[in-house]
Amino acid sequence: MKNKRVLSVFFEGLKIYCLNIHKFLLYMAFPVLGQVLGLFLIFGLNYWYTQNIKDLSMKYSALNNMSTLIGFAVLVVIPGLLIYMKAFWDYLVAYGALNSMTEGYLNTGKVYDFKSHNEVILNKTFSFIALWFIFGIFTFLAVIPIFWIICGIFFIYFILIFQVFTFENGLSPFGYFRRSFEIIKGNYARTFVLMSILLILTYFLLPSGFSVIFDYLNLTEKLSKCFEAYAFTLPIESLEPYGVTPALIGKSMFGQFVAFIIIGFTLPLRSICWTLWYNNLAEKPVEEQIQKKNSSYKKKRLTGKSFKTEKREIDPEIIRHAQMEDDDY
């Protein structure tokens, strides 16, 4: 693959996403909306329980016991918690499976067989969890002000870890970070530009655009009422002199709700573009490959050790499924 420009990769990714948007929306429906449903059940049932706890305790004598009250408080959130956890896990899996889907599309011209692409990731579940655990620690450090600059710099270098995980074998969880660093090295500025384009489009422009549409249709005020009702239960009396009101909190929570859905449903676009970028950077020119092999041979003679990274090919079973009708998936 020739070394493509950033805009060329972005528009190619946008084209793939738009041509198959119905399939990507279907794939992301439960991971995104399941999290929303889970949170609504958790907070909604908890809100209903706290609002009616006095009437329930008067009607049912068993609820007069404190331990029973706490037990029921836990029980009412379990359904929502289970749904949320399943949807959240599926969302994490999508970070890898969407890369496999992109590779499948590039090989067959189709987006198909979600289950097989998920299996590409689930076959290495332990490594995948370890990868997310390490990335979670990195993210935790990134929110600490003293680490903002250094973590921001390294975030660009580590941006292809999920593509490396999906397409390369023989690496440890830390190896995915190291390999991503090696790929990005020398292409930092261009990678930063692509990240900025995707960030601005999917995290700011699209959520803001949908918010404007909701405002124009007078839906924001109506739909934010449920969030406002929940805000009334919060202890914000001391903040009201500063303009913090239930109405303001409700509107802000609704805005975050809209942004979360848009960002979630555009995860395929980001994954597609990063997979194309990985393919663009990971395939080195022949001369560079020869130099690298010679360097590795010399190193092997000096150290007596050799570390091999194997490029994973797309599963033949997935390609076979591509020959079947799309309606089967």
Side-chain angles (χ1 to χ4, degrees):
M1 179 183 291
K2 63 180 182 179
N3 203 343
K4 295 184 177 181
R5 297 177 180 271
V6 170
L7 288 180
S8 176
V9 169
F10 169 71
F11 284 116
E12 183 179 354
L14 185 63
K15 176 184 176 181
I16 295 173
Y17 177 71
C18 292
L19 289 176
N20 301 277
I21 190 169
H22 58 296
K23 295 181 180 179
F24 288 124
L25 293 181
L26 175 63
Y27 177 72
M28 296 302 301
F30 180 73
V32 175
L33 300 182
Q35 291 185 68
V36 173
L37 175 61
L39 291 175
F40 265 103
L41 288 176
I42 291 172
F43 290 102
L45 291 177
N46 182 65
Y47 173 77
W48 173 86
Y49 183 70
T50 55
Q51 292 297 111
N52 295 276
I53 191 170
K54 290 184 178 180
D55 294 337
L56 291 172
S57 61
M58 292 176 61
K59 187 174 181 180
Y60 302 101
S61 57
L63 293 177
N64 291 324
N65 184 282
M66 180 57 67
S67 60
T68 305
L69 287 174
I70 296 175
F72 271 96
V74 173
L75 285 175
V76 296
V77 302
I78 287 179
L81 184 62
L82 292 176
I83 293 174
Y84 175 81
M85 291 176 63
K86 179 60 169 66
F88 182 67
W89 170 249
D90 287 354
Y91 191 81
L92 296 184
V93 171
Y95 270 82
L98 287 166
N99 304 324
S100 180
M101 290 182 198
T102 303
E103 189 71 11
Y105 178 86
L106 295 176
N107 280 275
T108 67
K110 293 183 179 181
V111 174
Y112 50 87
D113 199 0
F114 300 152
K115 182 178 179 181
S116 293
H117 291 293
N118 286 342
E119 287 297 322
V120 171
I121 307 305
L122 297 177
N123 286 337
K124 298 198 299 180
T125 299
F126 179 79
S127 295
F128 189 62
I129 293 174
L131 175 63
W132 268 109
F133 179 75
I134 298 171
F135 185 69
I137 295 176
F138 175 79
T139 304
F140 174 77
L141 293 175
V143 302
I144 301 175
I146 194 174
F147 294 116
W148 282 355
I149 296 178
I150 188 170
C151 287
I153 293 173
F154 276 97
F155 180 81
I156 307 298
Y157 282 115
F158 298 153
I159 206 161
L160 295 180
I161 55 174
F162 295 105
Q163 283 69 36
V164 174
F165 174 86
T166 304
F167 299 121
E168 298 188 15
N169 291 320
L171 295 173
S172 67
F174 285 104
Y176 302 128
F177 288 85
R178 184 172 59 252
R179 173 61 175 151
S180 177
F181 185 93
E182 293 172 353
I183 295 173
I184 298 299
K185 188 169 58 176
N187 297 281
Y188 188 93
R190 295 196 301 156
T191 303
F192 178 80
V193 171
L194 179 59
M195 184 200 70
S196 299
I197 293 173
L198 293 172
L199 185 71
I200 292 172
L201 176 64
T202 62
Y203 279 76
F204 295 101
L205 292 182
L206 288 177
S208 298
F210 274 87
S211 294
V212 170
I213 294 174
F214 280 118
D215 289 341
Y216 178 77
L217 298 175
N218 295 319
L219 293 176
T220 301
E221 293 294 332
K222 296 177 181 178
L223 296 176
S224 63
K225 290 296 182 182
C226 59
F227 296 98
E228 183 179 342
Y230 180 79
F232 273 107
T233 66
L234 302 176
I236 60 172
E237 292 79 7
S238 60
L239 299 177
E240 289 182 355
Y242 302 97
V244 179
T245 64
L248 178 64
I249 293 176
K251 189 173 182 179
S252 176
M253 291 177 67
F254 176 72
Q256 294 298 317
F257 165 75
V258 173
F260 172 79
I261 291 179
I262 301 302
I263 292 170
F265 277 115
T266 54
L267 174 62
L269 172 60
R270 296 189 294 276
S271 294
I272 292 167
C273 288
W274 290 126
T275 298
L276 295 174
W277 193 238
Y278 166 85
N279 289 339
N280 187 41
L281 300 182
E283 297 184 6
K284 303 296 184 182
V286 175
E287 294 80 7
E288 185 173 346
Q289 290 182 10
I290 294 175
Q291 292 176 4
K292 188 173 181 181
K293 287 181 179 179
N294 291 336
S295 175
S296 298
Y297 176 72
K298 292 178 181 178
K299 184 176 181 181
K300 182 179 179 181
R301 291 184 62 187
L302 291 173
T303 65
K305 295 181 180 179
S306 176
F307 298 91
K308 182 180 180 182
T309 299
E310 179 184 351
K311 179 71 164 62
R312 173 183 293 169
E313 301 295 336
I314 188 170
D315 190 340
E317 185 68 12
I318 296 179
I319 296 180
R320 185 183 69 81
H321 288 168
Q323 310 304 322
M324 302 171 67
E325 292 296 330
D326 291 346
D327 293 341
D328 291 341
Y329 304 99

